[in-house]
Amino acid sequence: MDVRVAEAAERQAPPGPRGTNRWRRRATVLLLAALPVLAGALPATASAAAAASTASAAPAAASAATEAAGSRAPAPSAQSVRTGTGSRSARVSLNEVTPAVPEQGDTLTLSGTVTNTSSKTLTRLRLTPRIGPALSSRSAIDQAARRKGYISGADGIEVPGDHGARLPGLAPGITRSFTLKVPVSDLHLQSDGVHQLGVSLTGQTRNRPYDQILGIGRTFLPWQEKASGHRTRMTYLWPLISTPHVTARTLSDKQQTPVFRDESLAKELAPGGRLQQMLELGKDLDVTWVIDPDLLASVDMMAGRYRVHKPGGGPDETVAGKGQPYAEQWLAELQDAVAGKEVVALPFADPDLASLAHRGTSIRGALSSLGHATALGRDTVKTVLHVEPSTDFAWPYKGAVDSSIVDVATSAGAHNVIARSDSVRETGLSYSPTAARPIGSGNTALVADAPLSTAFEGDLSRAGASSLAVQRFTAQSLALARQVPSRTRSVVVAPQRRPTVSQARAMAAGIKTLGRSGWTETSSLAEAAQAKPDPGARRKMPAPSSYPSSLRKTELPTAAFEQVRKTKDGLEDFQQILDRADRVVPPFTNAIDREVSNAWRGEDRPARSYRNSVEAYLLELRGAVKLIKKSDITLSGREATIPVTVQNNLAQGVDGLVLELRSSRVGLDVGEPKRVKVDGEHTQSLKFDTTAKNNGRAYVYAQLYTEDGERYGKVMKFQVNVTSITSTVLLVIAGGVLLIVLAGIRMYTQRKRSGPAPDPDAPLEQPDGPEGAEADDDADAESDGRTDDATNGDVDSRTDGEAPEEKASADAADGDRGDTERENDNPPAAGEKVDR
C-alpha cells in the first residue's frame, strides 16, 4: 500500500479520546475478516442481500483499512523497513564529508539522506550537526562505529550557530536528501585527534507531540592542526586476484586454443567490471601491486583466440569467446600502470597455504608443486608485464597464520610471511608496533594492521557506508599515529583479496585521503620488511591449535589433496609415452595448481567440480590409447600366433609402452612382452608366438605398461582354445596328397607320349596318294590319343570317341581326295586365316 495514501488516511482520521481510533480500527479489521465466514453461513435466499450489503460497505471498509494502515504494523515484506522506534525512527546517512581531512579555515560540507524507518509519520523535522569529544583510543572509534541510536553525552552537542535545516513531514519509508555546511571554526576543536561528527534529526510523531531525537548519523573527523615530525610509513597492498577461469582442456589445433569455464573473466575486464576498476583506480595510487600470475596468464590467453564451455553442454562442447578486446586493452593499461612500481608475484594460482599446512602435508608430494608454482609465477609476470617481480612474500588467507603455515610458506623460498594483527596478537604493548617481526631462520613476519586492513569490508554499495568507511579508515590511521608520536613506525595494510567495485572505490578514496594528511607517508613492501622491529613486539607465531575455527571450516579437505595426487600420478605416467609431452603437460600442471587455490575457500561444490573435470579429461586422453577388444580364438596345433591390436586416437604419436600377455594356464606360453609405438590416429597389431604343451582352454590377459612398470589402462581378457592334430588325421592327409601326385605324373606321361598337339591355325595341305592314307592313319592315331586324354578329364568325351574338331578335319580330308574342284566360286586368298 502506498505510504502516502496511508499518511493521508492518518491525517483525515477524526480526533477522539486516546485509544478510541485504535479500537475502532481493530473492530473494522475483525469485521472484514469475519464477513466471508458469515456470508458462507447465510441461507441461499439471503446471499444476494449479503452481497449487496458487503458491496455497499466496501468503500467504508477500505477507508477504515487505509486509515488503520497508518498505525498498524506494515505488511511482512516491508516490516524490516519500518520497525524503528524512539531514536531509531529514522535512518540518517552521511554520504559525503568534504574535505575528509579538514584544515583550519575550511568549511565542512555534509551531504546525506534521511529515511523514515518507523510506522509513523514524522513531523516538524530539523537536522542539526553535532560534534563530540575526541576519541581517546582506536577501540573507542570501533565502539562509536557500532553504536546504534542516540545516547546523550556520548553523541556530543549541537554545533553552535544556525547550521541546521528543516524538513517537511516524512511518511513511513520516505527518503529525503540534505546538505549542511559547517565552518571548521564553529566546531571549536580544542585538541588534535579523532572527533565524532554527527547529524541528528529532531521531530515529533502523532503519539509523541513533542521534540525528540528521532535518528542520528555518525562519522569521524580526523583533526591535526600541526603536522607531526614522525610520520607513519604506510604500505598498502593492491591485489589483482581472481578465481580460476581456464580449464585443462585445449583444442588439438597447432595453437592449442584454451577453453575457459565461462565468460566471467571477460565481464570483470569489461568497462565497469571489477578488474577494470581495480586497474583504473590503482594506476593513480602509490601502492604495492600484488598479482596472481594465473590471472595474467588467463588474460593473456583471452587476448588471443579462445573457447568457452557451452552452458549445459557436454565436456567438449564449446563456443567462441568474445572478451578478446577487453583483455588486450586491460593488459596494455596494466603494463603502463606497473612500470616502475613495486610488483609482488604470488605463487601461480595463489595456493591456499593454510589448507596445505593443515590437511595436505600428510599427502605424498602435496608440497612439491609449491616451489614450481613460485618459479612459474615469476616467469609469467616477467613475460606478460615485462617487469621483475618479487617472489619473496607469502600471503596466507586473511593473514591468519600459525607455526605450521609459516613452515609451509617458507618451504617454497619465501622469506616474508604477510600476517594480520588479529592473528598475531600483542599482549605486552599498548600501541601498534612496526609490522616487521623476525621469526627465526632468516624469515620475517609482516603483521598487517587488522583495523586498517578490514576497514573496507562488507557492503559498501550505499554511499553512506562508503563514506563512513573512508572516514573511519582515516581516523584509525590518525589514532595509530598518535599512539607514539615520537617514533616512526612502519605499517602494512593488507585488504581483502578480491574487493568488489564499491569496496575498491572506497579503498582508493581512503588512500588518496591519507596522501593528503600530515601524519602518514607511503612505503614499499620491501622497505617494510627491512624496517627495524620493535623490541617488545611478539615474534613467536601462534600454535596450530589457535587457528580460527571459522576459517578452518572453509579449508580444502584432505580428500582434495588426495585427488590432486592421483591426477599428478596419472599425468606423470601419461607424459612418458607421448611424442609431444609439451602440448599436454603445461595445461594440466596449471590446472592442478588451480585446484588448491585460495579462491575455493567456502566454495566446496565448485572446487570439487573443477577437480573432477580435470581428472575426467586426463582419463579421457589416457583412454584414447587402448587395446582393441579381442574375441575368443582357437589354436589348432602346438605352435601358433596371437595378434593383439593397440589403438591410438590421440592427435600425436605414443612411444614407450610395453604390451604383455599373461596366460591363466601353465601349459600355454604366450611369448615375450613387446614394445608399442603407434602414430597419432593409427593402430598397431603385435603378434605373439605361442606354444602349447597340451590341449584345453585358457584365459589370456593383455595389459599395457609404462617403461617403469606402471599399469596403463585396463586389462583385456580373452579365451584361447588349444586343439591337437592326431596321427590318423596326418595319415589320411598324406594319402590324399600321394594320390594327387600319382595322378599328376600319369597325366604328364600320357601327354608327353602323344607328342605336341597340332596347330589349329596352320593351313591345310592337299595329301596325294599314299600320303593321304598315311595322314588318315595319323588322324586315327591322334584321335585315339585324344580319346585317352578325354578319359583323364582334359577334354569333353563324345559317344564316337573323337573330338569334334578332329572329326571335322578328317571329313574335310576325305572330301579333298574325292573332289578337286571347290564348290565355292570365291576361294580364300593366299595367307588368309581359314575359319574351320
Side-chain angles (χ1 to χ4, degrees), residues 714-740:
K714 297 180 179 180
V715 64
M716 184 185 70
K717 174 184 174 183
F718 58 95
Q719 182 175 286
V720 176
N721 185 21
V722 181
T723 58
S724 298
I725 302 176
T726 62
S727 57
T728 303
V729 174
L730 293 176
L731 290 175
V732 172
I733 294 175
V737 171
L738 180 61
L739 291 175
I740 293 173

PDB file of all heavy atoms in Angstrom, residues 714-740:
ATOM      1  N   LYS A 714      43.186 -50.398 -18.850  1.00  0.00           N
ATOM      2  CA  LYS A 714      42.541 -51.583 -18.302  1.00  0.00           C
ATOM      3  C   LYS A 714      43.084 -52.849 -18.958  1.00  0.00           C
ATOM      4  O   LYS A 714      43.545 -52.830 -20.103  1.00  0.00           O
ATOM      5  CB  LYS A 714      41.027 -51.506 -18.504  1.00  0.00           C
ATOM      6  CG  LYS A 714      40.366 -50.346 -17.777  1.00  0.00           C
ATOM      7  CD  LYS A 714      38.866 -50.348 -18.029  1.00  0.00           C
ATOM      8  CE  LYS A 714      38.188 -49.196 -17.295  1.00  0.00           C
ATOM      9  NZ  LYS A 714      36.725 -49.170 -17.529  1.00  0.00           N
ATOM     10  N   VAL A 715      43.029 -53.943 -18.229  1.00  0.00           N
ATOM     11  CA  VAL A 715      43.452 -55.232 -18.761  1.00  0.00           C
ATOM     12  C   VAL A 715      42.386 -55.761 -19.719  1.00  0.00           C
ATOM     13  O   VAL A 715      41.188 -55.539 -19.523  1.00  0.00           O
ATOM     14  CB  VAL A 715      43.710 -56.229 -17.615  1.00  0.00           C
ATOM     15  CG1 VAL A 715      42.430 -56.529 -16.858  1.00  0.00           C
ATOM     16  CG2 VAL A 715      44.339 -57.510 -18.146  1.00  0.00           C
ATOM     17  N   MET A 716      42.826 -56.410 -20.799  1.00  0.00           N
ATOM     18  CA  MET A 716      41.903 -57.032 -21.741  1.00  0.00           C
ATOM     19  C   MET A 716      41.996 -58.548 -21.591  1.00  0.00           C
ATOM     20  O   MET A 716      43.090 -59.118 -21.603  1.00  0.00           O
ATOM     21  CB  MET A 716      42.238 -56.623 -23.176  1.00  0.00           C
ATOM     22  CG  MET A 716      41.248 -57.172 -24.197  1.00  0.00           C
ATOM     23  SD  MET A 716      41.730 -56.813 -25.897  1.00  0.00           S
ATOM     24  CE  MET A 716      43.151 -57.866 -26.092  1.00  0.00           C
ATOM     25  N   LYS A 717      40.865 -59.215 -21.485  1.00  0.00           N
ATOM     26  CA  LYS A 717      40.806 -60.650 -21.242  1.00  0.00           C
ATOM     27  C   LYS A 717      40.095 -61.331 -22.416  1.00  0.00           C
ATOM     28  O   LYS A 717      39.052 -60.874 -22.866  1.00  0.00           O
ATOM     29  CB  LYS A 717      40.064 -60.902 -19.930  1.00  0.00           C
ATOM     30  CG  LYS A 717      39.791 -62.359 -19.622  1.00  0.00           C
ATOM     31  CD  LYS A 717      38.968 -62.469 -18.341  1.00  0.00           C
ATOM     32  CE  LYS A 717      38.554 -63.891 -18.058  1.00  0.00           C
ATOM     33  NZ  LYS A 717      37.701 -63.990 -16.853  1.00  0.00           N
ATOM     34  N   PHE A 718      40.695 -62.424 -22.900  1.00  0.00           N
ATOM     35  CA  PHE A 718      40.044 -63.217 -23.942  1.00  0.00           C
ATOM     36  C   PHE A 718      40.401 -64.691 -23.723  1.00  0.00           C
ATOM     37  O   PHE A 718      41.371 -65.017 -23.036  1.00  0.00           O
ATOM     38  CB  PHE A 718      40.426 -62.759 -25.345  1.00  0.00           C
ATOM     39  CG  PHE A 718      41.897 -62.798 -25.639  1.00  0.00           C
ATOM     40  CD1 PHE A 718      42.480 -63.891 -26.263  1.00  0.00           C
ATOM     41  CD2 PHE A 718      42.710 -61.721 -25.303  1.00  0.00           C
ATOM     42  CE1 PHE A 718      43.829 -63.918 -26.530  1.00  0.00           C
ATOM     43  CE2 PHE A 718      44.066 -61.740 -25.573  1.00  0.00           C
ATOM     44  CZ  PHE A 718      44.635 -62.841 -26.185  1.00  0.00           C
ATOM     45  N   GLN A 719      39.623 -65.593 -24.351  1.00  0.00           N
ATOM     46  CA  GLN A 719      39.782 -67.039 -24.139  1.00  0.00           C
ATOM     47  C   GLN A 719      40.469 -67.670 -25.342  1.00  0.00           C
ATOM     48  O   GLN A 719      40.184 -67.322 -26.490  1.00  0.00           O
ATOM     49  CB  GLN A 719      38.419 -67.681 -23.909  1.00  0.00           C
ATOM     50  CG  GLN A 719      38.491 -69.186 -23.620  1.00  0.00           C
ATOM     51  CD  GLN A 719      37.141 -69.763 -23.276  1.00  0.00           C
ATOM     52  OE1 GLN A 719      36.618 -69.549 -22.202  1.00  0.00           O
ATOM     53  NE2 GLN A 719      36.558 -70.496 -24.214  1.00  0.00           N
ATOM     54  N   VAL A 720      41.369 -68.609 -25.065  1.00  0.00           N
ATOM     55  CA  VAL A 720      42.089 -69.340 -26.101  1.00  0.00           C
ATOM     56  C   VAL A 720      41.798 -70.830 -25.930  1.00  0.00           C
ATOM     57  O   VAL A 720      41.958 -71.370 -24.823  1.00  0.00           O
ATOM     58  CB  VAL A 720      43.609 -69.077 -26.019  1.00  0.00           C
ATOM     59  CG1 VAL A 720      44.360 -69.930 -27.038  1.00  0.00           C
ATOM     60  CG2 VAL A 720      43.900 -67.605 -26.255  1.00  0.00           C
ATOM     61  N   ASN A 721      41.380 -71.492 -27.029  1.00  0.00           N
ATOM     62  CA  ASN A 721      41.096 -72.937 -27.016  1.00  0.00           C
ATOM     63  C   ASN A 721      42.145 -73.636 -27.872  1.00  0.00           C
ATOM     64  O   ASN A 721      42.244 -73.390 -29.076  1.00  0.00           O
ATOM     65  CB  ASN A 721      39.692 -73.211 -27.573  1.00  0.00           C
ATOM     66  CG  ASN A 721      39.321 -74.682 -27.465  1.00  0.00           C
ATOM     67  OD1 ASN A 721      39.891 -75.416 -26.667  1.00  0.00           O
ATOM     68  ND2 ASN A 721      38.368 -75.108 -28.283  1.00  0.00           N
ATOM     69  N   VAL A 722      42.968 -74.510 -27.264  1.00  0.00           N
ATOM     70  CA  VAL A 722      44.049 -75.213 -27.952  1.00  0.00           C
ATOM     71  C   VAL A 722      43.587 -76.625 -28.300  1.00  0.00           C
ATOM     72  O   VAL A 722      43.125 -77.370 -27.422  1.00  0.00           O
ATOM     73  CB  VAL A 722      45.320 -75.266 -27.076  1.00  0.00           C
ATOM     74  CG1 VAL A 722      46.440 -75.985 -27.804  1.00  0.00           C
ATOM     75  CG2 VAL A 722      45.747 -73.856 -26.686  1.00  0.00           C
ATOM     76  N   THR A 723      43.698 -77.006 -29.610  1.00  0.00           N
ATOM     77  CA  THR A 723      43.338 -78.357 -30.074  1.00  0.00           C
ATOM     78  C   THR A 723      44.543 -78.976 -30.770  1.00  0.00           C
ATOM     79  O   THR A 723      45.220 -78.315 -31.572  1.00  0.00           O
ATOM     80  CB  THR A 723      42.149 -78.315 -31.057  1.00  0.00           C
ATOM     81  OG1 THR A 723      42.504 -77.485 -32.167  1.00  0.00           O
ATOM     82  CG2 THR A 723      40.912 -77.733 -30.380  1.00  0.00           C
ATOM     83  N   SER A 724      44.832 -80.358 -30.556  1.00  0.00           N
ATOM     84  CA  SER A 724      45.977 -81.055 -31.166  1.00  0.00           C
ATOM     85  C   SER A 724      45.562 -81.763 -32.450  1.00  0.00           C
ATOM     86  O   SER A 724      44.392 -82.098 -32.660  1.00  0.00           O
ATOM     87  CB  SER A 724      46.551 -82.106 -30.193  1.00  0.00           C
ATOM     88  OG  SER A 724      47.034 -81.476 -29.031  1.00  0.00           O
ATOM     89  N   ILE A 725      46.539 -82.151 -33.383  1.00  0.00           N
ATOM     90  CA  ILE A 725      46.311 -82.882 -34.624  1.00  0.00           C
ATOM     91  C   ILE A 725      46.777 -84.324 -34.412  1.00  0.00           C
ATOM     92  O   ILE A 725      47.954 -84.573 -34.185  1.00  0.00           O
ATOM     93  CB  ILE A 725      47.074 -82.234 -35.787  1.00  0.00           C
ATOM     94  CG1 ILE A 725      46.631 -80.776 -35.935  1.00  0.00           C
ATOM     95  CG2 ILE A 725      46.874 -82.983 -37.082  1.00  0.00           C
ATOM     96  CD1 ILE A 725      47.398 -80.043 -37.004  1.00  0.00           C
ATOM     97  N   THR A 726      45.869 -85.416 -34.567  1.00  0.00           N
ATOM     98  CA  THR A 726      46.197 -86.819 -34.276  1.00  0.00           C
ATOM     99  C   THR A 726      46.950 -87.453 -35.449  1.00  0.00           C
ATOM    100  O   THR A 726      46.953 -86.942 -36.578  1.00  0.00           O
ATOM    101  CB  THR A 726      44.911 -87.617 -34.003  1.00  0.00           C
ATOM    102  OG1 THR A 726      44.102 -87.578 -35.186  1.00  0.00           O
ATOM    103  CG2 THR A 726      44.128 -86.986 -32.848  1.00  0.00           C
ATOM    104  N   SER A 727      47.586 -88.674 -35.226  1.00  0.00           N
ATOM    105  CA  SER A 727      48.355 -89.395 -36.269  1.00  0.00           C
ATOM    106  C   SER A 727      47.449 -89.901 -37.379  1.00  0.00           C
ATOM    107  O   SER A 727      47.842 -89.952 -38.548  1.00  0.00           O
ATOM    108  CB  SER A 727      49.132 -90.561 -35.636  1.00  0.00           C
ATOM    109  OG  SER A 727      48.239 -91.435 -34.963  1.00  0.00           O
ATOM    110  N   THR A 728      46.225 -90.351 -37.055  1.00  0.00           N
ATOM    111  CA  THR A 728      45.304 -90.854 -38.084  1.00  0.00           C
ATOM    112  C   THR A 728      44.983 -89.759 -39.088  1.00  0.00           C
ATOM    113  O   THR A 728      44.960 -89.975 -40.300  1.00  0.00           O
ATOM    114  CB  THR A 728      44.015 -91.372 -37.426  1.00  0.00           C
ATOM    115  OG1 THR A 728      44.342 -92.373 -36.468  1.00  0.00           O
ATOM    116  CG2 THR A 728      43.062 -91.921 -38.477  1.00  0.00           C
ATOM    117  N   VAL A 729      44.736 -88.559 -38.547  1.00  0.00           N
ATOM    118  CA  VAL A 729      44.437 -87.443 -39.448  1.00  0.00           C
ATOM    119  C   VAL A 729      45.629 -87.158 -40.349  1.00  0.00           C
ATOM    120  O   VAL A 729      45.487 -86.892 -41.541  1.00  0.00           O
ATOM    121  CB  VAL A 729      44.035 -86.200 -38.627  1.00  0.00           C
ATOM    122  CG1 VAL A 729      43.873 -84.998 -39.543  1.00  0.00           C
ATOM    123  CG2 VAL A 729      42.759 -86.470 -37.868  1.00  0.00           C
ATOM    124  N   LEU A 730      46.821 -87.250 -39.793  1.00  0.00           N
ATOM    125  CA  LEU A 730      48.009 -86.996 -40.597  1.00  0.00           C
ATOM    126  C   LEU A 730      48.166 -88.028 -41.710  1.00  0.00           C
ATOM    127  O   LEU A 730      48.556 -87.706 -42.835  1.00  0.00           O
ATOM    128  CB  LEU A 730      49.251 -86.989 -39.703  1.00  0.00           C
ATOM    129  CG  LEU A 730      49.358 -85.844 -38.698  1.00  0.00           C
ATOM    130  CD1 LEU A 730      50.584 -86.026 -37.814  1.00  0.00           C
ATOM    131  CD2 LEU A 730      49.448 -84.512 -39.427  1.00  0.00           C
ATOM    132  N   LEU A 731      47.895 -89.380 -41.437  1.00  0.00           N
ATOM    133  CA  LEU A 731      47.974 -90.426 -42.459  1.00  0.00           C
ATOM    134  C   LEU A 731      46.970 -90.199 -43.568  1.00  0.00           C
ATOM    135  O   LEU A 731      47.275 -90.388 -44.751  1.00  0.00           O
ATOM    136  CB  LEU A 731      47.771 -91.800 -41.813  1.00  0.00           C
ATOM    137  CG  LEU A 731      48.909 -92.285 -40.902  1.00  0.00           C
ATOM    138  CD1 LEU A 731      48.521 -93.612 -40.233  1.00  0.00           C
ATOM    139  CD2 LEU A 731      50.200 -92.465 -41.693  1.00  0.00           C
ATOM    140  N   VAL A 732      45.762 -89.812 -43.207  1.00  0.00           N
ATOM    141  CA  VAL A 732      44.733 -89.561 -44.225  1.00  0.00           C
ATOM    142  C   VAL A 732      45.155 -88.422 -45.131  1.00  0.00           C
ATOM    143  O   VAL A 732      45.045 -88.485 -46.360  1.00  0.00           O
ATOM    144  CB  VAL A 732      43.376 -89.272 -43.555  1.00  0.00           C
ATOM    145  CG1 VAL A 732      42.369 -88.817 -44.599  1.00  0.00           C
ATOM    146  CG2 VAL A 732      42.873 -90.520 -42.846  1.00  0.00           C
ATOM    147  N   ILE A 733      45.666 -87.353 -44.514  1.00  0.00           N
ATOM    148  CA  ILE A 733      46.101 -86.203 -45.308  1.00  0.00           C
ATOM    149  C   ILE A 733      47.262 -86.605 -46.225  1.00  0.00           C
ATOM    150  O   ILE A 733      47.313 -86.230 -47.408  1.00  0.00           O
ATOM    151  CB  ILE A 733      46.495 -85.041 -44.391  1.00  0.00           C
ATOM    152  CG1 ILE A 733      45.266 -84.528 -43.641  1.00  0.00           C
ATOM    153  CG2 ILE A 733      47.128 -83.902 -45.180  1.00  0.00           C
ATOM    154  CD1 ILE A 733      45.579 -83.460 -42.615  1.00  0.00           C
ATOM    155  N   ALA A 734      48.231 -87.423 -45.699  1.00  0.00           N
ATOM    156  CA  ALA A 734      49.378 -87.843 -46.510  1.00  0.00           C
ATOM    157  C   ALA A 734      48.941 -88.715 -47.679  1.00  0.00           C
ATOM    158  O   ALA A 734      49.451 -88.585 -48.809  1.00  0.00           O
ATOM    159  CB  ALA A 734      50.385 -88.584 -45.642  1.00  0.00           C
ATOM    160  N   GLY A 735      47.964 -89.641 -47.442  1.00  0.00           N
ATOM    161  CA  GLY A 735      47.479 -90.487 -48.526  1.00  0.00           C
ATOM    162  C   GLY A 735      46.813 -89.692 -49.621  1.00  0.00           C
ATOM    163  O   GLY A 735      46.997 -89.958 -50.816  1.00  0.00           O
ATOM    164  N   GLY A 736      46.032 -88.718 -49.228  1.00  0.00           N
ATOM    165  CA  GLY A 736      45.377 -87.891 -50.236  1.00  0.00           C
ATOM    166  C   GLY A 736      46.375 -87.117 -51.071  1.00  0.00           C
ATOM    167  O   GLY A 736      46.236 -86.994 -52.297  1.00  0.00           O
ATOM    168  N   VAL A 737      47.412 -86.610 -50.430  1.00  0.00           N
ATOM    169  CA  VAL A 737      48.440 -85.871 -51.170  1.00  0.00           C
ATOM    170  C   VAL A 737      49.161 -86.801 -52.140  1.00  0.00           C
ATOM    171  O   VAL A 737      49.466 -86.426 -53.286  1.00  0.00           O
ATOM    172  CB  VAL A 737      49.432 -85.230 -50.185  1.00  0.00           C
ATOM    173  CG1 VAL A 737      50.638 -84.635 -50.931  1.00  0.00           C
ATOM    174  CG2 VAL A 737      48.748 -84.162 -49.351  1.00  0.00           C
ATOM    175  N   LEU A 738      49.451 -88.107 -51.730  1.00  0.00           N
ATOM    176  CA  LEU A 738      50.135 -89.054 -52.606  1.00  0.00           C
ATOM    177  C   LEU A 738      49.305 -89.383 -53.843  1.00  0.00           C
ATOM    178  O   LEU A 738      49.821 -89.444 -54.964  1.00  0.00           O
ATOM    179  CB  LEU A 738      50.458 -90.338 -51.828  1.00  0.00           C
ATOM    180  CG  LEU A 738      51.176 -91.452 -52.598  1.00  0.00           C
ATOM    181  CD1 LEU A 738      52.537 -90.948 -53.096  1.00  0.00           C
ATOM    182  CD2 LEU A 738      51.366 -92.683 -51.699  1.00  0.00           C
ATOM    183  N   LEU A 739      48.001 -89.579 -53.674  1.00  0.00           N
ATOM    184  CA  LEU A 739      47.133 -89.856 -54.815  1.00  0.00           C
ATOM    185  C   LEU A 739      47.131 -88.699 -55.802  1.00  0.00           C
ATOM    186  O   LEU A 739      47.157 -88.911 -57.028  1.00  0.00           O
ATOM    187  CB  LEU A 739      45.712 -90.144 -54.331  1.00  0.00           C
ATOM    188  CG  LEU A 739      45.508 -91.465 -53.563  1.00  0.00           C
ATOM    189  CD1 LEU A 739      44.086 -91.553 -53.038  1.00  0.00           C
ATOM    190  CD2 LEU A 739      45.837 -92.660 -54.458  1.00  0.00           C
ATOM    191  N   ILE A 740      47.104 -87.504 -55.326  1.00  0.00           N
ATOM    192  CA  ILE A 740      47.102 -86.343 -56.222  1.00  0.00           C
ATOM    193  C   ILE A 740      48.412 -86.279 -57.009  1.00  0.00           C
ATOM    194  O   ILE A 740      48.426 -86.002 -58.205  1.00  0.00           O
ATOM    195  CB  ILE A 740      46.894 -85.063 -55.409  1.00  0.00           C
ATOM    196  CG1 ILE A 740      45.492 -85.051 -54.799  1.00  0.00           C
ATOM    197  CG2 ILE A 740      47.106 -83.811 -56.261  1.00  0.00           C
ATOM    198  CD1 ILE A 740      45.244 -83.900 -53.842  1.00  0.00           C
TER     199      ILE A 740
END
